[in-house]
Amino acid sequence: MAEGIKPQVRFLTPAAVEQIIDEAFELLEKVGLFVENESALGLLAGAGEKIDPKRSRVFISRKLVEKALKSCPAEIRLYDLEGTQEYLVGEDEIHFDPGSAAIKLLDPERLVEREPRTDDLVRLYQLVETLENLDFQSTALVSADVPKEMADVYRLYLGFLFCRKPFVTGIFRVESLKPMLDLLVAIRGDEKSLAEKPLAIFDACPSPPLKWSRLTAESLVQCSRLGVPSELIPMGLTGATSPVTLAGTLVQQVAESFGGLVICQLARPGAPVIFGGSPASFDMRKGTTPMGAVETMMINCAFAQIAKHLNLPTHAYMGLSDSKLVDAQAGLETALGAVLAGLAGINVISGAGMLDFESTQSLEKLVIDNDICGQVLRLVRGVALREKPLALHLFQEVGDDFNFLVLPHTRKWYRQEHHFSSILDRDVYDTWAALGRLDIFQRAQKEVNRRLNLYQRPELCRKKEEELQAIMLAYARSCGLEKLPEIPGLQA
């Protein structure tokens, strides 16, 4: 079987890519990078970099960045809970996961945002386990029924009680890093096994412009030493915390990412790193950060092109919406972003289910987005040349009535050629009316319930439950909580 041309999108010429990279090198050498973390500063000082100790500013040489680029792996292998299913993060392979970390949930009955609780996180995790086009989970909601000090650990803990898929996660507090890594080690059995088969990606966000904080740099250092992949998430806002031009923001994004990459490679040469981001085209009229703006999508796609030029795995926040409801705007922004991310070959695409400037999750939008992701996955496979000849022999086979439905060829290739939706309306009008005249949000509500009824808890989650609970409870007590909230579904 011969493949046709794989569809792709590019926003930069090779010369523009090189210019952006060169300016990022010069930015680090002349302007420098603020690094607030003592461990990271020690690593950079040990590498011979010039440091202004009064301002914690490091001037990073091009030579050191180029050395770090050479030791950084071009691809990462991520594994599921049991360590049996492998996911390639690299080349043009794409994987979708829910956007995180939302502090609100869209209530499907009242259509208002509310704070999520433990049972909401459990339902989201169970739902995502059934969504075939989302390869990864994420710690997508922040539970409001536990102290804020333990919210990041708690959401990962809940995930490991219910999920088989790998996780995209991150920390809110430095103190959270150890218990979260302890949870990962508990699942794998030991640190060596975790490094051999990573189960989670840790997001780490520089503070724009040009700063790695104590929190995020510590995540880079500790995750790298354990072999846990770090996903670098620069968040420049055009004209506010980064230059107003898209190209200028890209220079800053590359420089910030180079700084994070260097810290990771100094902590452990060969540490897995993903070049990602969550920049936004800042809307000065509203004071908002529209993730659904086409300019935001352009920055992400162009940055992925640069990362691929550097032979690095890629990530972006795309396939999400700034709308407050699951409406036409949500469909427009989500589909456009997901399609562009797929055509750019971005490896980890975060955003499914997300609304309201990355602050809100919706279970109903998740099932709709699952279908959008499925269509994108079909799109990027391109047009396959299934047989030779392509069609001439079929016209001879069908005879004068041209009934292709009866051909073995049709039965052989139909399911491989087409994507089938579980949520889109493709009925004729009379059938649609007879079925209740439901819009897509109403169908999504029914689909959420149907899929939750299909969920089955992985056996390894049951076996590890006591060990994970001990880690979580010890940390909860250090945060002033003596008893964990009741968690639905543990006996299911």
Side-chain angles (χ1 to χ4, degrees), residues 102-176:
I103 57 173
K104 299 289 185 179
L105 180 73
L106 180 65
D107 187 302
E109 303 301 329
R110 298 183 296 143
L111 296 181
V112 296
E113 296 178 357
R114 64 170 175 81
E115 290 185 331
R117 301 176 64 84
T118 295
D119 60 329
D120 296 313
L121 271 73
V122 171
R123 280 169 54 84
L124 183 142
Y125 288 146
Q126 292 174 339
L127 177 63
V128 174
E129 286 293 293
T130 74
L131 298 179
E132 61 280 359
N133 299 315
L134 272 60
D135 285 339
F136 302 157
Q137 285 274 2
S138 77
T139 45
L141 286 171
V142 181
S143 181
D145 56 352
V146 297
K148 292 181 180 180
E149 293 82 1
M150 58 175 279
D152 44 4
V153 184
Y154 186 64
R155 60 192 183 137
L156 186 61
Y157 162 69
L158 286 180
F160 288 151
L161 292 180
F162 291 96
C163 303
R164 176 177 285 109
K165 295 180 179 182
F167 265 88
V168 180
T169 189
I171 60 170
F172 302 147
R173 304 172 70 236
V174 169
E175 295 81 2
S176 301

Side-chain angles (χ1 to χ4, degrees), residues 359-394:
S359 68
T360 302
Q361 261 288 347
S362 163
L363 271 62
E364 291 70 30
K365 187 174 185 292
L366 273 171
V367 298
I368 297 170
D369 292 357
N370 177 65
D371 189 77
I372 293 173
C373 295
Q375 296 196 57
V376 172
L377 291 167
R378 174 62 189 94
L379 173 69
V380 300
R381 292 203 304 270
V383 177
L385 310 182
R386 300 290 188 185
E387 297 179 348
K388 191 174 181 179
L390 299 175
L392 286 175
H393 61 301
L394 303 177

Side-chain angles (χ1 to χ4, degrees), residues 249-468:
T249 291
L250 285 166
V251 171
Q252 178 179 311
Q253 189 160 339
V254 172
E256 290 171 344
S257 297
F258 277 165
L261 180 101
V262 165
I263 292 170
C264 290
Q265 297 309 302
L266 290 176
R268 187 175 79 89
V273 179
I274 301 169
F275 257 37
S278 183
S281 172
F282 186 60
D283 191 333
M284 296 187 186
R285 303 166 305 164
K286 306 286 186 179
T288 56
T289 57
M291 300 305 298
V294 70
E295 296 85 1
T296 298
M297 302 174 196
M298 293 167 69
I299 297 169
N300 278 314
C301 290
F303 185 69
Q305 184 181 345
I306 295 167
K308 288 178 182 293
H309 175 79
L310 296 167
N311 206 25
L312 295 169
T314 57
H315 161 273
Y317 263 89
M318 297 179 71
L320 66 166
S321 175
D322 303 317
S323 178
K324 314 309 176 284
L325 297 174
V326 184
D327 56 9
Q329 178 183 337
L332 165 67
E333 292 174 340
T334 299
L336 180 59
V339 166
L340 285 173
L343 293 177
I346 296 172
N347 303 134
V348 182
I349 306 169
S350 302
M354 192 152 259
L355 296 162
D356 194 9
F357 310 106
E358 292 186 348
S359 68
T360 302
Q361 261 288 347
S362 163
L363 271 62
E364 291 70 30
K365 187 174 185 292
L366 273 171
V367 298
I368 297 170
D369 292 357
N370 177 65
D371 189 77
I372 293 173
C373 295
Q375 296 196 57
V376 172
L377 291 167
R378 174 62 189 94
L379 173 69
V380 300
R381 292 203 304 270
V383 177
L385 310 182
R386 300 290 188 185
E387 297 179 348
K388 191 174 181 179
L390 299 175
L392 286 175
H393 61 301
L394 303 177
F395 289 89
Q396 296 171 342
E397 203 173 325
V398 295
D400 292 339
D401 62 354
F402 296 109
N403 184 5
F404 295 98
L405 288 172
V406 303
L407 294 184
H409 178 274
T410 300
R411 294 193 296 273
K412 179 179 180 181
W413 295 115
Y414 184 65
R415 291 190 177 276
Q416 295 186 54
E417 284 282 293
H418 299 85
H419 167 77
F420 298 95
S421 172
S422 62
I423 195 69
L424 296 182
D425 169 35
R426 289 178 175 168
D427 288 319
V428 298
Y429 180 88
D430 288 345
T431 302
W432 170 77
L435 291 174
R437 307 170 66 91
L438 302 180
D439 62 25
I440 193 168
F441 187 75
Q442 292 168 321
R443 292 195 301 276
Q445 288 178 290
K446 290 180 176 290
E447 182 67 3
V448 167
N449 292 329
R450 185 187 76 83
R451 286 180 175 271
L452 286 174
N453 287 331
L454 295 175
Y455 169 81
Q456 293 184 340
R457 192 177 177 215
E459 184 59 32
L460 186 58
C461 293
R462 303 174 193 270
K463 292 181 179 179
K464 294 288 184 176
E465 182 178 325
E466 187 174 339
E467 186 177 0
L468 298 175

Side-chain angles (χ1 to χ4, degrees), residues 197-209:
K197 292 189 173 183
L199 175 60
I201 295 166
F202 271 65
D203 286 349
C205 308
S207 304

Side-chain angles (χ1 to χ4, degrees), residues 38 41 50-59:
E38 290 299 322
L41 283 171
K50 178 184 175 183
I51 298 176
D52 180 346
K54 292 183 179 179
R55 295 186 295 166
S56 299
R57 179 175 284 188
V58 185
F59 301 89

